[in-house]
Amino acid sequence: MMDIRPVAPGFAVAPQIQPTDMNELAAQGFRTVICNRPDAEEVGQTDAETMRVAAESAGIAFLHIPVSGGDFPADAVDEFRAVRADASDPVLAYCRTGTRSITLEALANPSGLSPFDIIEQARNAGYDLSSIADRLES
C-alpha cells in the first residue's frame, strides 16, 4: 500500500514506491515521478532504471535527482526547481521516507511561499521541516 501524502495542488510525496505501483499511480492521475534516492542506498532497494522503465511503461515521466542524507546541494535544488517548473502535474516525488523529497520541494519553493507557509504545508503532510527554517529564510 502506497503512502501518498499530498503537499500542494499537483504535488505529493511518498516513501519508497515499487515498480508495481506505477499503473496505480497512473490511474490516480500522476504524470511525473521524481526519485530522490541514490541507487544502492540500502539492500533490496529497486534501482532508478528499473523504476524508470516501470514508470514509462505506465505512461508516467520519470526523473532521478538523488540526494544523500541531509545533504541538499544547490545543483540538486536547482534541478528539482527546474523539473517542477516543467513537469506535467500531478507530480509524485519519493525517497526512503519522503523527507528528502519534501525538503527538496521546500528548498526549491516552486510556489514562492513564505518560510512559515512552507513549514506549515510540510507539517500538514506529516513532516517537520522546522530544522531548515533558517535555510528557507535565505
Side-chain angles (χ1 to χ4, degrees):
M1 176 98 176
M2 291 180 289
D3 179 13
I4 298 173
R5 300 181 186 193
V7 176
F11 182 75
V13 298
Q16 179 69 52
I17 58 174
Q18 299 302 320
T20 54
D21 295 328
M22 292 302 177
N23 287 329
E24 176 62 25
L25 290 171
Q28 291 182 30
F30 285 98
R31 308 219 349 129
T32 304
V33 169
I34 304 170
C35 172
N36 298 125
R37 292 190 82 176
D39 281 339
E41 185 176 48
E42 68 184 2
V43 175
Q45 171 190 334
T46 305
D47 64 89
E49 186 57 28
T50 300
M51 296 298 288
R52 175 186 316 282
V53 169
E56 290 175 355
S57 71
I60 298 173
F62 183 89
L63 297 115
H64 189 211
I65 306 171
V67 293
S68 296
D71 186 27
F72 296 92
D75 61 333
V77 173
D78 291 343
E79 185 178 359
F80 194 90
R81 183 180 299 114
V83 166
R84 288 283 284 121
D86 294 336
S88 295
D89 287 348
V91 174
L92 176 70
Y94 77 91
C95 58
R96 188 177 68 78
T97 65
T99 302
R100 279 175 279 181
S101 296
I102 199 164
T103 301
L104 278 167
E105 172 78 358
L107 294 171
N109 195 7
S111 301
L113 299 174
S114 71
F116 173 83
D117 288 337
I118 291 170
I119 290 170
E120 190 62 24
Q121 192 176 59
R123 182 174 290 119
N124 290 338
Y127 297 94
D128 180 5
L129 296 186
S130 59
S131 64
I132 66 163
D134 290 344
R135 188 162 176 193
L136 295 173
E137 294 284 347
S138 58

